Coordinates of all heavy atoms in Angstrom, one line a residue:
H119 N 14.8 0.0 12.1 CA 16.2 -0.2 12.3 C 16.9 -1.1 11.3 O 17.7 -2.0 11.5 CB 16.4 -1.0 13.7 CG 15.9 -0.1 14.9 ND1 16.3 -0.3 16.1 CD2 15.1 1.0 14.9 CE1 15.8 0.6 16.9 NE2 15.1 1.4 16.2
Y120 N 16.5 -0.8 10.0 CA 17.1 -1.5 8.9 C 18.6 -1.0 8.8 O 19.0 0.0 9.4 CB 16.4 -1.1 7.6 CG 15.1 -1.8 7.2 CD1 14.4 -1.5 6.1 CD2 14.7 -2.8 8.1 CE1 13.2 -2.0 5.8 CE2 13.4 -3.4 7.7 CZ 12.8 -3.1 6.6 OH 11.5 -3.7 6.3
S121 N 19.4 -1.9 8.1 CA 20.9 -1.6 8.1 C 21.1 -0.1 7.5 O 20.4 0.3 6.5 CB 21.5 -2.5 7.1 OG 22.7 -2.1 6.7
K122 N 22.0 0.6 8.1 CA 22.2 2.0 7.6 C 23.0 2.0 6.4 O 23.2 3.0 5.8 CB 22.9 2.8 8.8 CG 22.0 3.0 10.0 CD 22.7 3.8 11.0 CE 21.9 4.1 12.3 NZ 22.6 4.9 13.4
D123 N 23.6 0.9 6.0 CA 24.4 0.7 4.8 C 23.4 0.5 3.6 O 23.8 0.3 2.5 CB 25.4 -0.4 4.9 CG 26.5 -0.1 5.8 OD1 26.8 1.2 6.1 OD2 27.0 -1.0 6.5
H124 N 22.0 0.3 3.9 CA 21.1 0.0 2.8 C 20.0 1.1 2.9 O 19.8 1.7 3.9 CB 20.6 -1.3 3.0 CG 21.6 -2.5 2.7 ND1 22.6 -2.7 3.6 CD2 21.7 -3.3 1.6 CE1 23.4 -3.7 3.0 NE2 22.8 -4.1 1.9
R125 N 19.2 1.2 1.8 CA 18.1 2.1 1.7 C 17.1 1.4 0.9 O 17.3 0.5 0.2 CB 18.5 3.4 1.1 CG 18.9 3.4 -0.3 CD 19.3 4.7 -0.8 NE 19.7 4.8 -2.2 CZ 19.0 5.1 -3.2 NH1 17.7 5.5 -2.9 NH2 19.4 5.2 -4.4
L126 N 15.8 1.8 1.2 CA 14.7 1.4 0.4 C 14.5 2.2 -0.9 O 14.5 3.5 -0.8 CB 13.4 1.4 1.2 CG 13.2 0.5 2.3 CD1 12.1 0.7 3.2 CD2 13.3 -1.0 1.9
K127 N 14.6 1.5 -2.0 CA 14.6 2.3 -3.3 C 13.4 1.8 -4.1 O 13.1 0.6 -4.2 CB 15.8 2.0 -4.0 CG 15.9 2.7 -5.4 CD 17.2 2.4 -6.1 CE 17.3 3.1 -7.5 NZ 18.6 2.7 -8.2
I128 N 12.7 2.7 -4.7 CA 11.5 2.3 -5.5 C 12.1 1.6 -6.8 O 13.0 2.2 -7.5 CB 10.7 3.6 -5.9 CG1 9.9 4.0 -4.7 CG2 9.7 3.2 -7.1 CD1 9.1 5.3 -4.9
S129 N 11.6 0.5 -7.0 CA 12.1 -0.3 -8.2 C 11.1 -0.3 -9.4 O 11.5 -0.7 -10.5 CB 12.2 -1.8 -7.7 OG 11.1 -2.3 -7.1
S130 N 9.9 0.0 -9.1 CA 8.8 0.2 -10.2 C 7.8 1.1 -9.7 O 7.5 1.1 -8.5 CB 8.3 -1.2 -10.6 OG 7.7 -1.8 -9.5
M131 N 7.3 1.9 -10.6 CA 6.2 2.8 -10.3 C 5.3 3.0 -11.5 O 5.9 3.3 -12.6 CB 6.9 4.1 -9.8 CG 5.8 5.2 -9.2 SD 6.6 6.6 -8.5 CE 7.0 7.6 -9.9
W132 N 4.0 3.1 -11.3 CA 3.1 3.2 -12.4 C 1.8 4.0 -12.0 O 1.5 4.1 -10.8 CB 2.8 1.9 -13.1 CG 2.1 0.9 -12.2 CD1 0.6 0.8 -12.0 CD2 2.7 0.1 -11.1 NE1 0.4 -0.2 -11.1 CE2 1.5 -0.7 -10.5 CE3 3.9 -0.1 -10.6 CZ2 1.8 -1.5 -9.5 CZ3 4.1 -1.1 -9.7 CH2 3.1 -1.7 -9.0
A133 N 1.2 4.5 -13.0 CA -0.1 5.3 -12.7 C -1.3 4.3 -13.0 O -1.2 3.5 -13.9 CB -0.1 6.5 -13.7
N134 N -2.3 4.6 -12.3 CA -3.6 3.8 -12.5 C -4.7 4.8 -12.7 O -4.9 5.9 -11.9 CB -3.9 3.1 -11.2 CG -2.8 2.1 -10.8 OD1 -2.7 1.0 -11.2 ND2 -1.9 2.7 -10.1
I135 N -5.6 4.5 -13.6 CA -6.9 5.3 -13.8 C -8.0 4.3 -13.7 O -8.1 3.3 -14.5 CB -7.0 6.0 -15.1 CG1 -5.8 7.0 -15.3 CG2 -8.3 6.7 -15.3 CD1 -5.8 7.8 -16.6
S136 N -8.8 4.4 -12.6 CA -9.9 3.5 -12.4 C -11.2 4.2 -12.5 O -11.7 5.0 -11.7 CB -9.8 2.9 -11.0 OG -10.8 2.0 -10.6
P137 N -11.9 4.1 -13.7 CA -13.2 4.8 -13.9 C -14.3 4.2 -13.2 O -14.1 3.1 -12.6 CB -13.3 4.6 -15.5 CG -12.7 3.4 -15.8 CD -11.4 3.3 -14.9
S138 N -15.4 4.9 -13.1 CA -16.5 4.4 -12.4 C -16.9 3.0 -12.9 O -17.0 2.8 -14.1 CB -17.7 5.4 -12.6 OG -18.8 4.9 -11.9
G139 N -17.2 2.1 -12.0 CA -17.6 0.7 -12.4 C -16.3 -0.2 -12.4 O -16.5 -1.4 -12.6
S140 N -15.1 0.3 -12.1 CA -14.0 -0.6 -12.3 C -13.4 -0.8 -10.9 O -13.7 -0.1 -9.9 CB -12.9 0.0 -13.3 OG -12.4 1.2 -12.7
G141 N -12.4 -1.6 -10.9 CA -11.7 -2.0 -9.7 C -10.5 -2.9 -10.0 O -10.0 -3.0 -11.2
A142 N -9.9 -3.4 -9.0 CA -8.7 -4.3 -9.2 C -8.8 -5.5 -8.3 O -9.1 -5.4 -7.1 CB -7.4 -3.6 -9.0

Side-chain angles (χ1 to χ4, degrees):
H119 296 199
Y120 282 174
S121 166
K122 293 182 180 179
D123 293 332
H124 292 73
R125 66 186 180 97
L126 289 174
K127 179 181 180 181
I128 290 179
S129 54
S130 58
M131 189 173 80
W132 62 98
N134 307 269
I135 300 177
S136 180
S138 180
S140 70

